[in-house]
Amino acid sequence: MMSRHASLVGRKEVFMGKAKFGIFGDGKELAQIAMARVFQLGDFRAGYYRDQTFMMAIGELTAKQYFAQLYAYTNVEAEPASAGRLMNGHFATRSLNADGSWKDLTKKYNSGADVSPTAAQMPKLLGLAYASKLYRENKGLKDFDTFSVNGNEVAWGTIGNASTSEGMFYETINAAGVMQVPMVISVWDDGYGISVSNEFHTTKGSISEALAGFGRTDTELGFEILRVKGWDYEALMNAYVQAGDLARTQHIPVLIHVTEMTQPQGHSTSGSHERYKSAERLKWEKDWDCVAKFREYILTNGIAKADALDKIEAEAKALVKQEKEEIWLEFSGQIKKELSEAVKLLKAASQDTTRKAVINQLADELSKAINPIRKDVISTVRKALLTLRLESNPSKTALKKWIDEQSELNFDRYNSHLYSQSDRSVLKIEEVIAEYDDKAPSVDGREILQNFFDYTLEHNPAFFTFGEDVGKIGDVNQAFAGLQAKHGELRVSDTGIRECTIIGQGIGTALRGLRPLAEIQYLDYLLYALQILADDVACLHYRTKGGQKAPLIVRTRGHRLEGVWHSGSPMGMILSTLRGMVVCVPRDMTQAAGMYNTLLKSDEPAIVIECLNGYRLKERLPSNLGEYTVPVGKPEILREGTDLTVATYGSMCKVVMEAAEELSDIGIEVEVIDAQTLLPFDVHGIIGASIKKTNRVIFADEDVPGGGSAYMLQQVIEGQNVFKYLDSEPQTISARSHRPAYSSDGDYFSKPNVEDIVEKIYAVMNEVNPKKFPAL
Ligand SMILES: Cc1ncc(C[n+]2csc(CCOP(=O)(O)OP(=O)(O)O)c2C)c(N)n1
Ligand SMILES: [Mg+2]
């Protein structure tokens, strides 16, 4: 009743203009109560925006918190799921303490942090369930008792009927069936996805029928598939008890198709379902409303009398109203307080200026705002400060001081926590230099990694890896060769070809305290996984305001090799979509291993792009493989020079170094800098300091024009105050706009080559001194 009334009141709040948008869980209540009754401490939910009843029933959502999110209240105590950063209906529990350390997840009811893209909760669900399998079967994890009790935890997924059409849903189902993990997926089937009915979504119009082939038999592993009606409480309880037992005790995945659910108020506040549902359908939804049906059930079975139920409803209704009003007063009161402070300061400022009328008008308009929001207050004060730009007096100073203070508070409210703010922030990991014995052997790059991973598997029980061809053969480039045999199939494992859920496997296990290394075989195939990295991993810490972390490391390899799908370097794509992750672009495997060490000491998610053409190149084997760290955000000067700085990274380091040697022969000394990481990027201004010396710069990479090279240019020119030191136009060198053609000639004519770089730098020097460097 509490949930139902929250839905009914929520819609009204939106229509009164007190909240921007609303999407509610009415019509889905009863099944969620059944699910909540079998959900246990330590379990995880990964669901979607209809799950308010479940969250209330497990005690993780009060009416106050519900409305705090609807209003976008930024107070994390009032709105612990997202501190006002997410629309209503996006649920999450807090896994972390304020200092970023883990809580004891076995003593909590846990929910992943919801995302809006339909079915994007599915990949993570696989990992949440897989973690239980690891905790049960990997004896090396027995000390991780604040994350799991013998792998008994079930991961509970929820998804709308229409959202099951997404590829991610099928990929997750298949992977869970193969892996036999304790996952229970409920499909809330209300027959529609906004306005589109099931016949347009699903083969045979029924997801449980369409998935029948995934069903387990006496002789074959698969899913337990159950079908139950959303208004039938006894059947729901039977289904959920059965599902919970199967998943918890035997790690068998279960799909519960909950049919005949309804939407009493339509899809969301953005439209009305009368537009697309027939009168018969609307009547049917009224008649089969699960709350009404449940009441009927209770009365017919003599479980309670009508007046008792009426009393419960009246109390629930009153509670919702009261908590809603309390939180509205708190939320709007805070803004009103800021508003009255601003009005007071503006009035004071109006006394000291020749622009008195303008400032007074701004103050008056602000004080009359109905349901003011923070933007009204801040934008008014900023307009006033522009008006007062020529003046200098104490009241203006007071206004300026006030807005500076507000900016800091608003940064914390709206912009903080993109990256870790804990002691394990990757920027706080101390640098440890790689050491070499006198007789350090030169080995293939892949052997550096192999030795490093061997050491790490030995010493870090939380660390494990998985991906296509990672297990038996130890990845396509053999950095894990022999390590499955040595450390076991739970530490080094093969997966199906399913990039999106490989990442999901990583997300869920990272959310439960493990340190997954998820491998994407080639950088070009990251596109299959990019959506979930962007929508879930990269924004997780931000969207929960530090309530959850998933320190997943994605390992992949790219830049140069052969052809369109094995030579990509789409760094611009990564940089635009994966803010919130660390992006490492090591030039060789020694640097890569040091970066993995750094990342494993930190609590941030990251992607490491190894050089595809570097595994067979010789490198000296460091003696402190498990210990040395490569700091992030700290470029390394590979070659000193006085004429021009080239900043680059990855496989291009070798190409640029070769060009620099050629240029040196003709009297041009280039300083070559390896950025090493792109996010974070050169936090100490090392490239800027080099430009102060050389007064010229080129940013080079093998992404398309305007991609990674343009990013580096923007970071340095805007961020490092070097414009005034430049004596030549700053430039970029990149690959062609198309994907690289096949074979060595294709590479030569598609990617930047030594001659391209030599000629571009020479052209700059020709402009500087045409006598010494005549045009070619
Ligand atoms: C990838 C993606 N496409 C489109 C949308 C817009 N959208 C939000 S909910 C929704 C319908 C989902 O229907 P269903 O899965 O049946 O869930 P229901 O709302 O009916 O419970 C759509 C199309 C979205 N959020 N994500
Ligand atoms: Mg639906």
Coordinates of all heavy atoms in Angstrom, one line a residue, residues 531-602:
Q531 N 29.3 0.1 -24.7 CA 28.1 0.6 -24.1 C 28.0 0.4 -22.6 O 27.7 1.2 -21.8 CB 26.8 0.0 -24.8 CG 25.5 0.4 -24.3 CD 25.0 -0.5 -23.2 OE1 25.4 -1.6 -23.1 NE2 24.2 0.1 -22.3
I532 N 28.3 -0.9 -22.2 CA 28.2 -1.2 -20.8 C 29.3 -0.6 -20.0 O 29.1 -0.2 -18.8 CB 28.1 -2.7 -20.6 CG1 27.4 -3.1 -19.3 CG2 29.4 -3.5 -20.7 CD1 26.0 -2.6 -19.2
L533 N 30.5 -0.4 -20.6 CA 31.5 0.3 -19.9 C 31.1 1.7 -19.6 O 31.3 2.3 -18.6 CB 32.8 0.2 -20.7 CG 33.6 -1.1 -20.7 CD1 34.7 -1.1 -21.7 CD2 34.1 -1.4 -19.3
A534 N 30.5 2.3 -20.7 CA 30.1 3.7 -20.5 C 28.9 3.9 -19.6 O 29.0 4.8 -18.7 CB 29.8 4.3 -21.9
D535 N 27.9 3.1 -19.8 CA 26.7 3.3 -19.1 C 26.7 2.8 -17.6 O 26.0 3.2 -16.8 CB 25.5 2.6 -19.8 CG 25.1 3.4 -21.0 OD1 25.1 4.6 -20.9 OD2 24.6 2.8 -22.0
D536 N 27.6 1.8 -17.4 CA 27.6 1.2 -16.0 C 29.0 1.5 -15.3 O 29.0 2.2 -14.3 CB 27.4 -0.3 -16.1 CG 26.9 -0.8 -14.7 OD1 26.9 -0.1 -13.7 OD2 26.5 -2.0 -14.6
V537 N 30.1 1.0 -15.9 CA 31.3 1.1 -15.1 C 31.8 2.6 -15.0 O 32.1 3.0 -13.8 CB 32.5 0.3 -15.9 CG1 33.8 0.4 -15.1 CG2 32.0 -1.1 -16.1
A538 N 31.9 3.3 -16.1 CA 32.6 4.6 -16.0 C 31.8 5.6 -15.1 O 32.4 6.4 -14.5 CB 32.7 5.2 -17.4
C539 N 30.5 5.5 -15.1 CA 29.7 6.4 -14.3 C 29.3 5.9 -12.9 O 28.5 6.6 -12.2 CB 28.5 7.0 -15.1 SG 27.3 5.7 -15.5
L540 N 29.7 4.7 -12.6 CA 29.2 4.1 -11.3 C 29.5 4.9 -10.1 O 28.6 5.2 -9.3 CB 29.7 2.7 -11.2 CG 29.4 2.0 -9.9 CD1 27.9 1.6 -9.9 CD2 30.2 0.8 -9.6
H541 N 30.7 5.3 -10.0 CA 31.2 6.0 -8.8 C 30.5 7.4 -8.7 O 30.1 7.9 -7.7 CB 32.7 6.1 -8.8 CG 33.3 6.5 -7.5 ND1 33.8 7.8 -7.2 CD2 33.4 5.8 -6.3 CE1 34.3 7.8 -6.0 NE2 34.1 6.6 -5.4
Y542 N 30.4 8.0 -9.9 CA 29.8 9.3 -10.0 C 28.3 9.2 -9.7 O 27.8 10.0 -8.8 CB 29.9 9.9 -11.4 CG 29.1 11.2 -11.5 CD1 29.5 12.4 -11.0 CD2 27.9 11.1 -12.2 CE1 28.7 13.5 -11.1 CE2 27.1 12.2 -12.3 CZ 27.5 13.4 -11.7 OH 26.7 14.5 -11.8
R543 N 27.6 8.2 -10.3 CA 26.1 8.3 -10.1 C 25.7 7.8 -8.8 O 24.5 8.0 -8.4 CB 25.5 7.5 -11.3 CG 25.6 6.0 -11.2 CD 24.8 5.4 -12.4 NE 24.6 3.9 -12.2 CZ 25.5 3.0 -12.7 NH1 26.6 3.4 -13.4 NH2 25.3 1.7 -12.5
T544 N 26.6 7.2 -8.0 CA 26.2 6.8 -6.6 C 26.8 7.8 -5.6 O 26.8 7.5 -4.4 CB 26.7 5.4 -6.3 OG1 28.1 5.3 -6.5 CG2 26.0 4.3 -7.2
K545 N 27.5 8.8 -6.1 CA 28.2 9.7 -5.3 C 29.1 9.0 -4.3 O 29.1 9.2 -3.1 CB 27.3 10.7 -4.6 CG 28.2 12.0 -4.2 CD 27.4 13.0 -3.5 CE 28.3 14.2 -3.2 NZ 27.7 15.2 -2.3
G546 N 29.9 8.0 -4.9 CA 30.8 7.3 -4.0 C 30.2 6.2 -3.2 O 30.9 5.7 -2.3
G547 N 29.0 5.8 -3.6 CA 28.4 4.7 -2.8 C 28.8 3.3 -3.3 O 28.7 2.4 -2.5
Q548 N 29.2 3.2 -4.5 CA 29.7 1.9 -5.0 C 30.9 2.1 -5.9 O 31.1 3.2 -6.5 CB 28.6 1.3 -5.9 CG 27.4 0.9 -5.1 CD 26.4 0.0 -5.9 OE1 26.7 -0.4 -7.0 NE2 25.2 -0.1 -5.4
K549 N 31.7 1.1 -5.9 CA 32.9 1.1 -6.9 C 33.0 -0.3 -7.5 O 32.6 -1.3 -6.9 CB 34.2 1.4 -6.1 CG 34.6 0.5 -5.0 CD 35.9 0.9 -4.3 CE 36.2 0.0 -3.1 NZ 37.4 0.5 -2.4
A550 N 33.5 -0.3 -8.7 CA 33.8 -1.6 -9.4 C 35.2 -1.5 -10.0 O 35.3 -1.1 -11.2 CB 32.7 -1.8 -10.5
P551 N 36.2 -1.8 -9.2 CA 37.5 -1.6 -9.7 C 37.9 -2.7 -10.7 O 38.8 -3.5 -10.4 CB 38.4 -1.6 -8.4 CG 37.6 -2.4 -7.5 CD 36.1 -2.2 -7.8
L552 N 37.3 -2.7 -11.8 CA 37.5 -3.7 -12.9 C 38.7 -3.2 -13.8 O 38.7 -2.0 -14.1 CB 36.2 -3.8 -13.7 CG 36.3 -4.2 -15.1 CD1 36.6 -5.7 -15.2 CD2 35.0 -4.0 -15.8
I553 N 39.5 -4.1 -14.1 CA 40.6 -3.7 -15.1 C 40.2 -4.4 -16.4 O 40.1 -5.7 -16.4 CB 42.0 -4.1 -14.7 CG1 42.3 -3.5 -13.3 CG2 43.0 -3.6 -15.7 CD1 43.6 -3.9 -12.7
V554 N 40.1 -3.7 -17.5 CA 39.9 -4.2 -18.8 C 41.2 -4.3 -19.5 O 42.0 -3.3 -19.6 CB 38.9 -3.4 -19.6 CG1 38.7 -4.0 -21.0 CG2 37.6 -3.2 -18.9
R555 N 41.6 -5.5 -20.0 CA 42.9 -5.7 -20.7 C 42.5 -5.9 -22.1 O 41.7 -6.7 -22.5 CB 43.6 -6.9 -20.1 CG 44.8 -7.2 -20.9 CD 45.6 -8.4 -20.3 NE 46.8 -8.6 -21.0 CZ 47.2 -9.7 -21.6 NH1 46.5 -10.8 -21.5 NH2 48.3 -9.8 -22.3
T556 N 43.2 -5.1 -23.0 CA 43.0 -5.3 -24.4 C 44.3 -4.9 -25.1 O 45.3 -4.5 -24.5 CB 41.7 -4.6 -24.9 OG1 41.5 -5.0 -26.3 CG2 41.9 -3.1 -24.9
R557 N 44.2 -5.1 -26.5 CA 45.5 -4.8 -27.2 C 45.0 -4.2 -28.5 O 44.0 -4.6 -29.2 CB 46.3 -6.0 -27.4 CG 45.5 -7.2 -28.0 CD 46.3 -8.5 -27.9 NE 46.4 -9.0 -26.5 CZ 45.5 -9.8 -25.9 NH1 44.5 -10.2 -26.6 NH2 45.7 -10.1 -24.7
G558 N 45.8 -3.2 -29.0 CA 45.4 -2.5 -30.2 C 46.5 -1.7 -30.8 O 47.7 -2.1 -30.7
H559 N 46.2 -0.7 -31.5 CA 47.0 0.1 -32.4 C 47.4 -0.7 -33.6 O 46.5 -1.0 -34.4 CB 48.3 0.6 -31.6 CG 48.0 1.2 -30.3 ND1 46.9 2.1 -30.2 CD2 48.5 1.1 -29.1 CE1 46.9 2.5 -28.9 NE2 47.9 1.9 -28.2
R560 N 48.6 -1.2 -33.8 CA 49.1 -1.6 -35.1 C 49.1 -3.1 -35.2 O 49.7 -3.8 -34.4 CB 50.5 -1.1 -35.4 CG 50.4 0.3 -35.7 CD 51.7 0.8 -36.1 NE 51.4 2.3 -36.2 CZ 51.8 3.0 -37.2 NH1 52.6 2.5 -38.2 NH2 51.6 4.3 -37.2
L561 N 48.5 -3.7 -36.2 CA 48.9 -5.0 -36.7 C 48.4 -5.1 -38.1 O 49.1 -4.7 -39.0 CB 48.3 -6.1 -35.8 CG 48.9 -7.4 -36.0 CD1 50.3 -7.5 -35.5 CD2 48.1 -8.6 -35.4
E562 N 47.2 -5.7 -38.3 CA 46.8 -5.9 -39.7 C 45.3 -5.6 -39.9 O 44.5 -6.2 -39.2 CB 47.0 -7.4 -40.1 CG 48.4 -7.9 -40.3 CD 49.2 -7.2 -41.4 OE1 48.6 -6.5 -42.2 OE2 50.4 -7.3 -41.4
G563 N 45.1 -4.8 -40.9 CA 43.7 -4.7 -41.4 C 42.7 -3.9 -40.6 O 43.0 -3.4 -39.5
V564 N 41.5 -3.9 -41.1 CA 40.5 -3.0 -40.6 C 40.1 -3.4 -39.1 O 39.8 -2.5 -38.3 CB 39.3 -3.1 -41.5 CG1 38.0 -2.5 -40.9 CG2 39.5 -2.4 -42.8
W565 N 40.1 -4.6 -38.8 CA 39.6 -5.0 -37.5 C 40.6 -5.5 -36.5 O 40.3 -6.1 -35.5 CB 38.4 -6.0 -37.6 CG 37.2 -5.3 -38.1 CD1 36.3 -4.5 -37.4 CD2 36.7 -5.4 -39.4 NE1 35.3 -4.0 -38.2 CE2 35.5 -4.5 -39.4 CE3 37.1 -6.0 -40.6 CZ2 34.8 -4.3 -40.6 CZ3 36.3 -5.8 -41.8 CH2 35.2 -5.0 -41.7
H566 N 41.9 -5.3 -36.8 CA 43.0 -5.7 -35.9 C 44.0 -4.6 -35.8 O 45.2 -4.9 -35.5 CB 43.6 -7.0 -36.3 CG 42.6 -8.1 -36.3 ND1 41.8 -8.4 -37.4 CD2 42.3 -9.1 -35.4 CE1 41.1 -9.5 -37.1 NE2 41.4 -9.9 -35.9
S567 N 43.7 -3.4 -36.1 CA 44.7 -2.3 -36.1 C 44.1 -1.0 -35.6 O 44.8 0.0 -35.7 CB 45.2 -2.0 -37.5 OG 45.5 -3.1 -38.2
G568 N 43.0 -1.1 -35.0 CA 42.3 0.2 -34.6 C 42.9 0.8 -33.4 O 43.6 0.2 -32.6
S569 N 42.8 2.1 -33.4 CA 43.3 2.9 -32.2 C 42.2 4.0 -31.9 O 42.6 5.1 -31.9 CB 44.6 3.5 -32.6 OG 45.2 4.0 -31.5
P570 N 41.0 3.5 -31.6 CA 39.9 4.5 -31.5 C 39.9 5.2 -30.1 O 39.0 5.1 -29.4 CB 38.7 3.7 -31.7 CG 39.1 2.3 -31.2 CD 40.5 2.2 -31.5
M571 N 41.0 5.9 -29.9 CA 41.1 6.5 -28.6 C 40.2 7.6 -28.3 O 39.7 7.8 -27.2 CB 42.6 7.0 -28.4 CG 43.6 6.0 -28.6 SD 43.4 4.4 -27.7 CE 43.2 5.0 -26.1
G572 N 39.8 8.4 -29.3 CA 38.9 9.5 -29.1 C 37.5 8.9 -28.7 O 36.9 9.4 -27.7
M573 N 37.1 7.8 -29.2 CA 35.9 7.1 -28.8 C 36.0 6.7 -27.3 O 35.0 7.0 -26.6 CB 35.8 5.8 -29.7 CG 34.7 4.8 -29.2 SD 34.8 3.3 -30.2 CE 35.8 2.3 -29.2
I574 N 37.1 6.2 -26.9 CA 37.3 5.8 -25.5 C 37.3 7.0 -24.6 O 36.6 7.0 -23.6 CB 38.6 5.0 -25.4 CG1 38.4 3.6 -26.1 CG2 39.0 4.8 -24.0 CD1 39.6 2.8 -26.3
L575 N 38.0 8.0 -25.0 CA 38.1 9.2 -24.2 C 36.8 9.9 -24.0 O 36.5 10.5 -22.9 CB 39.2 10.1 -24.8 CG 40.6 9.6 -24.7 CD1 41.5 10.4 -25.6 CD2 41.1 9.6 -23.3
S576 N 36.0 9.9 -25.0 CA 34.7 10.6 -24.9 C 33.7 9.8 -24.1 O 32.9 10.4 -23.4 CB 34.1 10.8 -26.3 OG 34.9 11.4 -27.1
T577 N 33.8 8.5 -24.1 CA 32.7 7.7 -23.5 C 33.1 7.2 -22.1 O 32.2 6.9 -21.3 CB 32.3 6.5 -24.4 OG1 33.5 5.9 -24.8 CG2 31.5 7.0 -25.6
L578 N 34.4 7.1 -21.8 CA 34.8 6.4 -20.6 C 35.4 7.3 -19.5 O 36.2 6.9 -18.7 CB 35.8 5.2 -20.9 CG 35.2 4.2 -21.9 CD1 36.2 3.0 -22.0 CD2 33.8 3.7 -21.4
R579 N 34.9 8.6 -19.5 CA 35.4 9.4 -18.4 C 34.8 8.8 -17.1 O 33.7 8.4 -17.0 CB 34.8 10.8 -18.5 CG 35.1 11.5 -19.8 CD 36.6 11.9 -19.8 NE 37.0 12.3 -21.2 CZ 37.4 13.5 -21.5 NH1 37.6 14.4 -20.6 NH2 37.8 13.7 -22.8
G580 N 35.7 8.7 -16.1 CA 35.4 7.9 -14.9 C 36.3 6.7 -14.8 O 36.4 6.0 -13.8
M581 N 36.9 6.3 -16.0 CA 37.8 5.2 -16.0 C 39.2 5.7 -16.2 O 39.4 6.8 -16.7 CB 37.5 4.2 -17.1 CG 36.2 3.4 -16.9 SD 35.9 2.2 -18.1 CE 37.1 0.9 -17.7
V582 N 40.2 4.9 -15.8 CA 41.6 5.3 -16.1 C 41.9 4.6 -17.4 O 41.6 3.5 -17.7 CB 42.5 4.7 -15.0 CG1 44.0 4.9 -15.3 CG2 42.2 5.4 -13.6
V583 N 42.6 5.4 -18.3 CA 42.9 4.9 -19.6 C 44.5 4.8 -19.8 O 45.1 5.9 -19.8 CB 42.3 5.7 -20.7 CG1 42.8 5.2 -22.1 CG2 40.8 5.7 -20.6
C584 N 45.0 3.6 -19.8 CA 46.5 3.4 -19.8 C 46.9 3.0 -21.2 O 46.2 2.0 -21.8 CB 46.9 2.3 -18.9 SG 46.6 2.7 -17.1
V585 N 47.9 3.6 -21.8 CA 48.4 3.3 -23.1 C 49.9 3.0 -23.1 O 50.7 3.8 -23.6 CB 48.0 4.4 -24.1 CG1 46.6 4.3 -24.6 CG2 48.3 5.8 -23.5
P586 N 50.3 1.9 -22.5 CA 51.7 1.6 -22.3 C 52.4 1.4 -23.7 O 51.8 0.8 -24.6 CB 51.7 0.3 -21.5 CG 50.4 -0.3 -21.8 CD 49.4 0.8 -22.0
R587 N 53.7 1.8 -23.7 CA 54.4 1.6 -25.0 C 55.0 0.2 -25.1 O 55.4 -0.2 -26.2 CB 55.5 2.7 -25.2 CG 56.6 2.6 -24.1 CD 57.7 3.6 -24.3 NE 58.7 3.5 -23.2 CZ 58.6 4.1 -22.1 NH1 57.5 4.9 -21.8 NH2 59.5 4.0 -21.2
D588 N 55.2 -0.4 -24.0 CA 55.7 -1.8 -24.0 C 55.2 -2.6 -22.8 O 54.4 -2.1 -22.0 CB 57.3 -1.8 -24.1 CG 57.9 -1.1 -22.8 OD1 57.2 -1.1 -21.8 OD2 59.0 -0.6 -22.9
M589 N 55.6 -3.8 -22.7 CA 55.0 -4.7 -21.7 C 55.5 -4.4 -20.3 O 54.9 -4.7 -19.3 CB 55.1 -6.2 -22.1 CG 54.6 -6.5 -23.5 SD 52.9 -5.9 -23.8 CE 52.9 -5.8 -25.6
T590 N 56.7 -3.9 -20.2 CA 57.3 -3.5 -18.9 C 56.4 -2.4 -18.3 O 56.1 -2.5 -17.1 CB 58.7 -3.0 -19.1 OG1 59.5 -4.0 -19.9 CG2 59.4 -2.8 -17.8
Q591 N 56.1 -1.4 -19.2 CA 55.3 -0.3 -18.7 C 53.9 -0.9 -18.3 O 53.3 -0.5 -17.3 CB 55.1 0.8 -19.7 CG 56.4 1.5 -20.1 CD 57.1 2.1 -18.9 OE1 58.0 1.5 -18.3 NE2 56.6 3.2 -18.4
A592 N 53.4 -1.8 -19.2 CA 52.0 -2.3 -18.9 C 52.0 -3.0 -17.6 O 51.1 -2.8 -16.8 CB 51.7 -3.3 -20.0
A593 N 53.0 -3.9 -17.3 CA 53.0 -4.6 -16.0 C 53.0 -3.6 -14.8 O 52.3 -3.8 -13.8 CB 54.2 -5.5 -15.9
G594 N 53.8 -2.6 -14.9 CA 53.9 -1.6 -13.9 C 52.6 -0.9 -13.7 O 52.2 -0.5 -12.6
M595 N 51.8 -0.6 -14.8 CA 50.5 0.0 -14.7 C 49.5 -1.0 -14.0 O 48.7 -0.5 -13.2 CB 50.0 0.4 -16.1 CG 50.8 1.6 -16.7 SD 50.3 1.9 -18.4 CE 51.5 3.1 -18.8
Y596 N 49.6 -2.2 -14.4 CA 48.7 -3.2 -13.7 C 49.0 -3.2 -12.2 O 48.0 -3.2 -11.4 CB 48.9 -4.6 -14.2 CG 48.3 -4.8 -15.6 CD1 49.1 -5.3 -16.7 CD2 47.0 -4.6 -15.9 CE1 48.6 -5.4 -18.0 CE2 46.4 -4.8 -17.1 CZ 47.2 -5.2 -18.2 OH 46.7 -5.4 -19.4
N597 N 50.2 -3.1 -11.8 CA 50.5 -3.0 -10.4 C 49.9 -1.8 -9.7 O 49.3 -1.9 -8.6 CB 52.0 -3.0 -10.1 CG 52.6 -4.3 -9.9 OD1 51.9 -5.2 -9.3 ND2 53.9 -4.5 -10.3
T598 N 50.0 -0.7 -10.4 CA 49.4 0.6 -9.9 C 47.9 0.4 -9.7 O 47.4 0.7 -8.7 CB 49.7 1.7 -10.9 OG1 51.1 1.8 -11.1 CG2 49.2 3.1 -10.3
L599 N 47.3 -0.1 -10.8 CA 45.8 -0.2 -10.8 C 45.4 -1.2 -9.7 O 44.3 -0.9 -9.1 CB 45.3 -0.7 -12.2 CG 45.6 0.3 -13.3 CD1 45.4 -0.3 -14.7 CD2 44.7 1.6 -13.1
L600 N 46.1 -2.3 -9.5 CA 45.7 -3.2 -8.5 C 45.8 -2.7 -7.1 O 45.2 -3.2 -6.1 CB 46.4 -4.5 -8.6 CG 46.0 -5.4 -9.9 CD1 47.0 -6.5 -10.1 CD2 44.6 -6.0 -9.6
K601 N 46.6 -1.7 -6.9 CA 46.7 -1.0 -5.6 C 45.6 0.0 -5.4 O 45.4 0.6 -4.3 CB 48.0 -0.3 -5.4 CG 49.2 -1.3 -5.2 CD 50.5 -0.5 -5.0 CE 51.7 -1.4 -5.3 NZ 51.8 -2.6 -4.5
S602 N 44.9 0.4 -6.5 CA 44.0 1.5 -6.4 C 42.5 0.9 -6.5 O 42.3 -0.3 -6.6 CB 44.2 2.5 -7.6 OG 43.2 2.4 -8.5

